[in-house]
Amino acid sequence: MSMIRRDILKPLVFRLHENAPAIVREVLLERGWTEFDQKEQDDTDWNLYWRNSPFRMTDHHSIKPWQRLNHYPEAVRITRKDYLARHLKRMKGAYGSALYEFSPVAFIMPNDYVKFIAEYSKERQSVGRRPSYWICKPVDLSRGRGILIFQDIKDLVYDCTVIVQKYISNPLLISGYKLDLRLYVCVTSFCPLTIYIYEEGLVRFATEKFDLGSLDNVYAHLTNTSINKYGASYKKYKEGIGCGCKWTFSKFRSYLRIFGVDDLLLWQKINNIVILTLLAVTPLPVASNCFELFGFDILIDDEFKPWLLEVNYNPALCLDCSIDDTVKRRLLHDIVELLNYKEIDTLRQNEMTGSKAVRRRVPWRTAGLSTPEEDPGLLTCWKVATSSSASPVQPALQAARGSIHKVASLTKKTVRAHPRKTLTSQLREKMNRPKTSSQAKTEDKNKLPAVHYPCSSAQLSHWLPTPNFHNCKISTHPYFLSDKDQRPIRRVGDFVLIFPFNEAALQASRDGTDVKSIIKEINKLVSKQLLSKQQNTKKGVGYLTSV
């Protein structure tokens, strides 16, 4: 076996399209990467290409083993509001409304105008029923632009394609302020479907108190930072909220537990929403070495039921406050970790026939930083097998085992610092240092640990879809699989694998995703979650959530 010569290792190279977020460049430079120079470098001499718009299919077809693209082909299927509504409606019709009741009924205007009028009139004529509130959104705008909330149909005015849904008029309030959650979801593959959810995220607040008597007050009803940062109360201290309009998920969890709320079931429901939403757009074209970062917007009502508001393509990575910097900078560092670059990827050339270069993972982490196996967190989903008698079907989206940490320890939890040592410095350090046998053993211990799943070891061919699926052949070895057992890595930084969540779901992900079988497994999972809740309620555990 031929080893990679240490003196020919080069830094990884990133390529940015115009208007790419500035923080992407900052984070990659912090990690020791260099930026692609189109005038000086070959067209394939890069490792990561990041852009705000979709790539051409020719870009996907010509991908090299050492390269990654930050978009999956046709991922926009769920990020336009009308597309998302159609997909969820189809899934609700195919698999029942019980699972897909997490999104309010939607009418796409002007096509559904007659249906909307019928529903609106039916409610108005119902005796003793309070008229509903409605929200109107342009299908292809973001950041709260063009949104209208109304109760009387005479106030409904639009000049483009819009979506009209029932407005959730009973949102969870903190100190009288409305909030929603910005959840970061990374899909490393749609075939086989592989979903990671980020444990940290943003809680976004409206900056004026919620009031159904003033539907035109955007600062009371919309949580978009792009709107609220221009409000008079944005910089003011707001009782119970503080200055600005954002919290982290960590602070939100602490707040819930202070008031006796066990949020385990809430996060399980949110994870289910993510999986069910992404199932609605499968299959997508098979593509190698790409990923998609989505921003899921989730609203929680006063009965602790989560609702899907929308799914964002290119979730905003601008830094409006210190909380943004903390969450988004760490998010990007963990995305790079998730891309699982190997030392051979620094060469940016095809392996020579007959040689077996070592595909050792690039050692990004430094002393003192957590490894993927540490701190299982609230969103850990796949229980590691502890004995041969363990059940092969484990509950998905399982919360961390053991007792819940005290609120004080949560609020004092320090944020992991981003790596200080660069890739270049670490590799050069190794070049100038002879490796002893003891050092080799230490290095083996510090490698990214592969997860052991409660199932027998499978070959790569058992994980990958067949080459003929969707008339496209996977051209490179999937980067998101562990080198040890050829399965997705369970945890990387704060990214936690939520799909596949058990052996049956994994097998159903082959050959184009067997949605029916996966839905069957999710139904089993939901039944277990409801049973667990009922048992805890009987024991006197104070749940404020409702199913």
Side-chain angles (χ1 to χ4, degrees), residues 403-417:
S403 60
I404 297 175
H405 298 300
K406 294 181 180 180
V407 171
S409 64
L410 280 170
T411 54
K412 292 179 180 178
K413 183 180 178 182
T414 56
V415 178
R416 169 172 56 81

Side-chain angles (χ1 to χ4, degrees), residues 428-454:
R428 297 302 174 197
E429 219 174 355
K430 283 189 174 184
M431 275 186 260
N432 298 322
R433 185 174 66 224
K435 187 180 291 185
T436 64
S437 58
S438 61
Q439 286 174 328
K441 291 179 180 178
T442 303
E443 182 180 284
D444 289 338
K445 291 181 180 179
N446 290 334
K447 282 183 181 179
L448 180 69
V451 62
H452 300 280
Y453 293 98

Side-chain angles (χ1 to χ4, degrees), residues 87 97 121 134 206 215 237 242 244 265 307 341 393:
H87 285 301
S97 58
S121 301
W134 302 87
L215 297 180
Y237 177 83
L265 184 62
W307 295 85
Y341 285 100
V393 179

